[in-house]
Amino acid sequence: MSEHSANPSAAAATGRPRAVKAVIPAAGLATRFLPATKAVPKELLPVVDRPVLQYIVEEAAQAGIGDILLITGRGKTSMVDHFDRRPDLEERLAEKPDLLAAVKRTEELAAIYTCRQPEQLGLGHAVGYAESHVGDEPFAVLLGDEFVKPSEPLLPAMLELQARTGGVVLAFFEVDPAETKRYGIASVEPAEAELTDIGEVVKVTGMVEKPTPEEAPSNLAVLGRYVLPGKIFDAIRRTRPGSGGEIQLTDAMELLRTEGTPVHAIVYRGTRYDTGMPLGYLQTVVQIAAEREDLGSEFRKWLAEFVNSDASGGRDT
């Protein structure tokens, strides 16, 4: 069970249900991290003492989502094991209350369900496998390789915005123009005045997957968070393969937009951790370790000494 309950205010005000389920697509092969990910899912790579996936589930739980579907692939059953009970381990930790609490916390964050994606044919293809679990209700999609700082939450505002509009809700962050070819990029216009109390909200007028800098309509990239209406599944079925020969969620959302479904986004200015590539993963580990109360002070001191020693041409051993 989730440690937080959903806020019913938006549903009461609009008559629309607020999303209480989330889908985490996590079936990819993570080839950038081979051979480490040959046997260990990328989503379970540790960021200090918690795997990436736990940070993402905690982000969902913090927003009041207590039902999470993992879209998995071959060799990834250990992701589910991480959130399962371990009575034998709990017994051995009976006299170590801090460690016991940390282990039990993973069991209490949310109800975890799984679905197998037999082939990886794009993000839209993966999300389509959630239909039988989600049904016609709105739901969140959280990509399995990025998360935001808990003290700078994003998802609650997205859930509120979707409950008000009933449409597609995205999150954007600004990227260097040279990086547009890595992301879905949007063209936008100012949002309706009655939505601006939620945050920096924009109305999306178009989306394109991984454009070149010359073709990009802006430098606003899609962050790996979506809140979608149930009718996205029909749009996915009608979406033809796009970039990379895959069924892209961006294309399915654009199809809904052209058919009249409102699409809005929140421009996120907080801290985003991207563990999808080795450099970003290392940066995430260092940043979170440096901010930890229990080890940050010593780690920052060592890191400064290491960097200064390296800059001077060597370090003592």
Side-chain angles (χ1 to χ4, degrees), residues 7-237:
N7 182 345
S9 62
T14 66
R16 299 189 186 95
R18 186 185 179 103
V20 295
K21 295 182 179 181
V23 175
I24 302 178
L29 297 176
T31 54
R32 294 186 182 95
F33 287 86
L34 287 171
T37 49
K38 180 181 178 182
V40 178
K42 178 182 69 173
E43 294 80 8
L44 291 187
L45 293 178
V47 177
V48 189
D49 54 6
R50 280 182 282 170
V52 173
L53 184 59
Q54 183 173 334
Y55 285 93
I56 295 168
V57 173
E58 288 173 345
E59 182 183 337
Q62 184 185 20
I65 291 177
D67 181 310
I68 294 178
L69 177 68
L70 299 178
I71 308 295
T72 68
R74 294 180 185 86
K76 292 204 163 189
T77 56
S78 56
M79 290 192 301
V80 183
D81 293 340
H82 179 73
F83 298 96
D84 201 358
R85 282 205 63 199
R86 279 287 305 272
D88 58 326
L89 182 58
E90 292 171 18
E91 184 176 352
R92 295 177 67 91
L93 295 175
E95 297 181 1
K96 299 179 179 180
D98 290 345
L99 286 177
L100 178 60
V103 169
K104 290 181 69 67
R105 175 174 167 75
T106 64
E107 308 161 11
E108 299 165 352
L109 286 170
I112 305 294
Y113 303 89
T114 64
C115 177
R116 177 70 66 87
Q117 182 189 14
E119 294 182 90
Q120 286 74 63
L121 299 176
L123 180 56
H125 181 258
V127 171
Y129 275 86
E131 184 172 13
S132 61
H133 184 81
V134 171
D136 295 329
E137 300 299 315
F139 64 102
V141 175
L142 295 81
L143 298 194
D145 54 13
E146 58 183 299
F147 56 96
V148 303
K149 195 171 186 176
S151 60
E152 301 168 354
L154 166 64
L155 201 52
M158 295 182 67
L159 296 174
E160 174 71 17
L161 182 57
Q162 201 284 329
R164 289 201 201 177
T165 66
V168 171
V169 172
L170 311 175
F172 294 154
F173 67 104
E174 292 185 329
V175 298
D176 186 281
E179 295 293 303
T180 58
K181 58 182 179 295
R182 292 181 52 202
Y183 302 97
I185 302 294
S187 55
V188 302
E189 62 184 30
E192 299 87 333
E194 63 269 21
L195 299 176
T196 55
D197 64 301
I198 297 176
E200 191 175 345
V201 179
V202 294
K203 185 174 183 180
V204 179
T205 59
M207 290 177 285
V208 59
E209 184 69 22
K210 300 176 182 177
T212 64
E214 296 75 24
E215 298 172 332
S218 74
N219 71 330
L220 292 176
V222 179
L223 194 151
R225 297 292 179 270
Y226 314 79
V227 185
L228 305 171
K231 57 186 173 182
I232 190 66
F233 297 115
D234 177 66
I236 289 171
R237 283 190 289 272

